[in-house]
Amino acid sequence: MNHQGQTAPVLTIDGPSGSGKGSISKCVAEKLGWHYLDSGALYRALGIAAIKEGVDVANEDALAALIQDIELEFKRSDLGHWAVFLNGEEVQDQLQTEAVGNTASKIAVFPKVRSGLLAKQRTFQIAPGLVADGRDMGSVVFPNAKFKVYLTASAEERGKRRYKQLIEKGINANLSSVIQDIQERDERDKNRSESPLVIPEGATYIDSSSSEIDEVVLTVLDLLENTKKL
Ligand code: DC
């Protein structure tokens, strides 16, 4: 049951940057006909808001106050795809840059930022079900989730995937610095005192280093079916 007394089932997919959890979560949600929460997008959008409003990203209280002032929504854009809107403006394209990812990782260490975004995340638990991806979905936001996955891959493999995406988008990149960036972000996400990236209790551990997305999607769907039978 969630904090509004709802009982919609939740599948949490936690893991480090570049583990493929975004693509896999979206695909699983689509196959199940469930809602999807990209929690990283909330931290990223807050980072964009801070930069736009000139709020110091090292100032925890100012960031917590900013959360109260902004409107964050996930809805369909005019082109029909799901997108994040900040104060009514679509910011989906701005979310995926390395700079915004790094800002998100830095502001995500602050307890007041995390607690400020908690209630928003829990509003996504609605019927017929929710697939939630992030770092603390199974440990903090939805600890009672019926289905939990921890998805990872080696830093090297995750760096290669990220590098390929950047090159495909025509963005100049250097493989070793992309891998180094990923390792630094892992360190920050795993070692912060508030809601660090952990393998949640009861989660199934999946290493996707040598698997294609489709294979992992099938593994997750099988896991759901098998857990339902328990
Ligand atoms: O999943 P992502 O790369 O979009 O997330 C960006 C950053 O946001 C990530 O480095 C850490 C933070 N984050 C978090 O702390 N907790 C979450 N549930 C999701 C993201």
Side-chain angles (χ1 to χ4, degrees):
M1 191 176 289
N2 77 0
H3 295 73
Q4 286 83 45
Q6 292 166 330
T7 53
V10 179
L11 161 66
T12 60
I13 303 191
D14 288 299
S17 302
S19 55
K21 62 189 163 38
S23 317
I24 288 159
S25 302
K26 253 182 250 161
C27 198
V28 169
E30 206 153 289
K31 293 213 186 276
L32 295 169
W34 286 10
H35 299 276
Y36 168 55
L37 166 63
D38 172 1
S39 61
L42 296 180
Y43 289 92
R44 287 173 184 259
L46 180 63
I48 292 177
I51 293 163
K52 282 193 171 159
E53 301 290 323
V55 169
D56 179 1
V57 294
N59 183 333
E60 180 174 7
D61 286 327
L63 289 165
L66 182 63
I67 294 174
Q68 305 308 318
D69 285 347
I70 58 175
E71 195 191 19
L72 280 176
E73 297 167 284
F74 282 86
K75 57 183 190 188
R76 286 211 185 268
S77 71
D78 293 343
L79 297 172
H81 58 259
W82 284 101
V84 175
F85 287 75
L86 170 63
N87 297 331
E89 182 202 343
E90 186 184 336
V91 291
Q92 192 65 30
D93 284 348
Q94 300 165 47
L95 290 184
Q96 293 313 320
T97 66
E98 294 303 283
V100 169
N102 280 323
T103 304
S105 168
K106 285 179 190 157
I107 64 179
V109 303
F110 294 127
K112 288 180 190 168
V113 167
R114 304 201 71 85
S115 60
L117 291 176
L118 195 58
K120 175 89 194 158
Q121 295 173 78
R122 288 181 173 155
T123 62
F124 283 77
Q125 186 181 1
I126 34 181
L130 172 69
V131 180
D133 105 44
R135 305 292 189 290
D136 60 345
M137 297 295 98
S139 55
V140 175
V141 181
F142 301 108
N144 300 325
K146 198 165 175 185
F147 314 102
K148 295 184 186 180
V149 166
Y150 183 84
L151 184 67
T152 190
S154 66
E156 206 120 294
E157 180 56 34
R158 290 183 284 126
K160 281 188 198 156
R161 290 176 189 168
R162 185 73 193 131
Y163 173 78
K164 193 166 160 249
Q165 283 170 350
L166 292 170
I167 297 298
E168 278 168 5
K169 282 189 198 154
I171 299 170
N172 208 359
N174 169 288
L175 179 58
S176 51
S177 45
V178 172
I179 294 175
Q180 194 185 334
D181 242 33
I182 285 212
Q183 285 166 332
E184 281 169 14
R185 203 178 311 171
D186 284 358
E187 283 303 302
R188 212 164 29 231
D189 292 349
K190 285 181 183 166
N191 295 321
R192 65 180 176 227
S193 56
E194 191 76 13
S195 311
L197 171 63
V198 289
I199 304 174
E201 211 183 309
T204 298
Y205 183 96
I206 301 176
D207 186 324
S208 73
S209 300
S210 53
S211 314
E212 297 296 327
I213 286 183
D214 293 359
E215 292 174 67
V216 182
V217 168
L218 288 179
T219 307
V220 173
L221 290 171
D222 280 351
L223 171 80
L224 244 80
E225 280 312 307
N226 293 333
T227 310
K228 275 186 204 159
K229 285 181 204 149
L230 292 179

